[in-house]
Amino acid sequence: MNPLFLQAERFVCAEMDGRLIGFGQVRPLDGGGGSFEVASLLVDEAERGKGIGSAIVRRLLERHGTKGTLYLLTLSKTTPFWERFGFRLVGSDQDTSLPALLRLERSAGTLVAGGLLGQTVVVMTKDE
Ligand SMILES: CC(C)(COP(=O)(O)OP(=O)(O)OC[C@H]1O[C@@H](n2cnc3c(N)ncnc32)[C@H](O)[C@@H]1OP(=O)(O)O)[C@@H](O)C(=O)NCCC(=O)NCCS
């Protein structure tokens, strides 16, 4: 997770017995230009596969409504999870129309994920 400019009110958190077990956020990508990013989604390893990640995403989408275009960056292996919520892969022909901050984050993510995990970082979007 990019630790810069975190704002608590953007997060949806899941709690069990007073323990934080998952969270995710939607944050603006271009300061009011209408592009947003679903980011920082994480569920405690021991609690995965119980619907918690899906519940967090559903709540984030519900709260976001139709305010603008949603994007996200994810590892290529996680795209099936996001497709369930209506996200689709952004084709390389659409690359230049992506918000600059997203392209920057993807480059940084690819360095880390590509180098350490041998994974590709992909961009997905959800139509309004
Ligand atoms: C991705 C993540 C948030 C899902 O949380 P979760 O609480 O396990 O999600 P759910 O229980 O709601 O899973 C919903 C479904 O998605 C599937 N799924 C979860 N992670 C997946 C992945 N990486 N690839 C494919 N499918 C996946 C689950 O198998 C489950 O399928 P099922 O309903 O048929 O059993 C969690 O695995 C995680 O924290 N991963 C590490 C961080 C990460 O990858 N974050 C997203 C990147 S932006």
Side-chain angles (χ1 to χ4, degrees), residues 23 38-45 47-58 72-82 84-85:
F23 50 78
V38 182
S40 320
L41 182 70
L42 185 79
V43 171
D44 186 316
E45 228 170 325
E47 309 298 342
R48 288 180 193 168
K50 300 177 182 173
I52 296 165
S54 299
I56 293 171
V57 172
R58 275 197 302 272
L72 62 85
L73 291 170
T74 192
L75 295 178
S76 45
K77 66 171 184 175
T78 316
T79 55
F81 174 80
W82 292 108
R84 294 173 170 208
F85 303 100

Side-chain angles (χ1 to χ4, degrees), residues 71 88-95 97-98 106 123-125:
Y71 294 95
R88 58 174 172 81
L89 278 172
V90 171
S92 52
D93 55 324
Q94 291 163 270
D95 231 44
S97 64
L98 293 176
R106 182 180 55 185
V123 178
M124 300 184 85
T125 190

